[in-house]
Amino acid sequence: QMVRAMTYLPPILAFFCGVLLTNSIRRRAAFHPRLHWRQMVVLAEIGLLLGVGFLPSSWDAPANALVSFTCAMQVQAFRKVNGSAYASTMCIGNLRSGVDAFCAYWDTRDRTALRKAGRYFAVILIFALGAGFGGVASQLWGTGAIWASCLLLAVSFLLMFRQEIQAEADC
């Protein structure tokens, strides 16, 4: 039993290390002239997930740990959207926050709370669609399906430049 339980330790430690690395990137790259620290995190995620796609199936345990590491980076770097806390790699916390915002709307009829609830539910829907797509892609492409996430992360990376340009124009 203990040996079997120890198989869960590497992904948990990898998650721990992913949070540590992301915090280190944030501290050290806060004033990089060309890239925002979150963009650096996204680039690291792309590199790691690209590598995972090349690992043979006999390396599933290390691949799982690397995915756990990148999940930690994602969760740590992207904790808020429009001032609200979000979990970008899981749904339960978002569901709780969405229902909570909906209850606030129900009690007060405050449209801001309703919009907040709508954003949470939209994030959950996008997550569910992504999970469904990931399941289908895994059936079609096997381990290489992880490269689809690299493509989406690359799009996100590029969109972050657009948002930065827009933020500068708004000043």
Side-chain angles (χ1 to χ4, degrees), residues 3-4 8 15 46-47 49 51 61 65 75 77-78 80 84 89 94 100 103 137 149 156 165 167 171:
V3 172
R4 190 166 171 215
Y8 295 101
F15 193 94
I46 292 169
L49 294 176
V75 168
F78 299 95
K80 286 190 173 186
S84 297
T89 62
N94 295 336
D100 192 44
C103 288
S149 64
S156 299
I165 291 167
C171 293

Side-chain angles (χ1 to χ4, degrees), residues 60-72:
D60 280 352
N64 187 34
L66 283 171
V67 171
S68 182
F69 185 87
T70 59
C71 284

Side-chain angles (χ1 to χ4, degrees), residues 17-32 35-38 40-41 76-77:
C17 292
V19 173
L20 289 176
L21 178 64
T22 304
N23 283 335
S24 177
I25 291 170
R26 182 178 186 180
R27 279 191 316 276
R28 293 193 173 133
F31 302 105
H32 191 279
L35 293 178
H36 189 278
W37 69 271
R38 286 185 178 97
M40 292 178 188
V41 169
Q76 187 65 9

Side-chain angles (χ1 to χ4, degrees), residues 57-102:
S57 62
S58 60
W59 283 48
D60 280 352
N64 187 34
L66 283 171
V67 171
S68 182
F69 185 87
T70 59
C71 284
M73 295 175 75
Q74 179 71 216
V75 168
Q76 187 65 9
F78 299 95
R79 294 163 34 151
K80 286 190 173 186
V81 176
N82 291 333
S84 297
Y86 287 89
S88 57
T89 62
M90 57 201 82
C91 289
I92 297 301
N94 295 336
L95 180 59
R96 186 207 54 81
S97 297
V99 171
D100 192 44
F102 183 75

